[in-house]
Amino acid sequence: MRINCPICGDRDRREFYYLGASDYLNRPAEGDLDAIHKYLHIRENPAGVTKDLWHHEAGCSSWLVVERNVTTHEILGVELASEVAK
């Protein structure tokens, strides 16, 4: 699988570290224990298209949001996480 880093260009997936679903960017309010529990422990595991966080640890060290089909491994889009989180 190849990921097209917006800064470094086309790279092999072994240069990246996978964190998980991009909803980690949407942290719940402090003090809402139920929301924090769901944020940390309750995750969907869909087949098909997902948006995930990847860290380019062997390259520019950027955090990326990668949209991909987990069934076919096709990469549909890549954005800098800092742009998505705005």
Side-chain angles (χ1 to χ4, degrees):
M1 186 168 73
R2 309 234 0 129
I3 297 174
N4 190 14
C5 175
I7 295 172
C8 301
D10 192 39
R11 298 288 194 259
D12 187 83
R13 67 122 181 111
R14 290 174 287 194
E15 290 189 13
F16 298 85
Y17 172 79
Y18 172 80
L19 175 66
S22 66
D23 56 356
Y24 278 120
L25 294 172
N26 304 313
R27 294 183 178 148
E30 189 174 327
D32 185 349
L33 296 180
D34 185 53
I36 291 170
H37 169 73
K38 289 177 183 174
Y39 172 79
L40 292 174
H41 303 291
I42 308 299
R43 296 280 166 193
E44 293 183 17
N45 189 17
V49 177
T50 64
K51 286 189 175 185
D52 304 311
L53 288 172
W54 291 73
H55 180 241
H56 195 180
E57 66 181 355
C60 62
S61 198
S62 293
W63 281 97
L64 309 174
V65 175
V66 177
E67 183 176 9
R68 68 187 179 110
N69 186 320
V70 296
T71 306
T72 65
H73 302 291
E74 178 185 7
I75 303 290
L76 305 170
V78 180
E79 300 175 89
L80 291 171
S82 60
E83 297 296 318
V84 174
K86 288 183 180 179

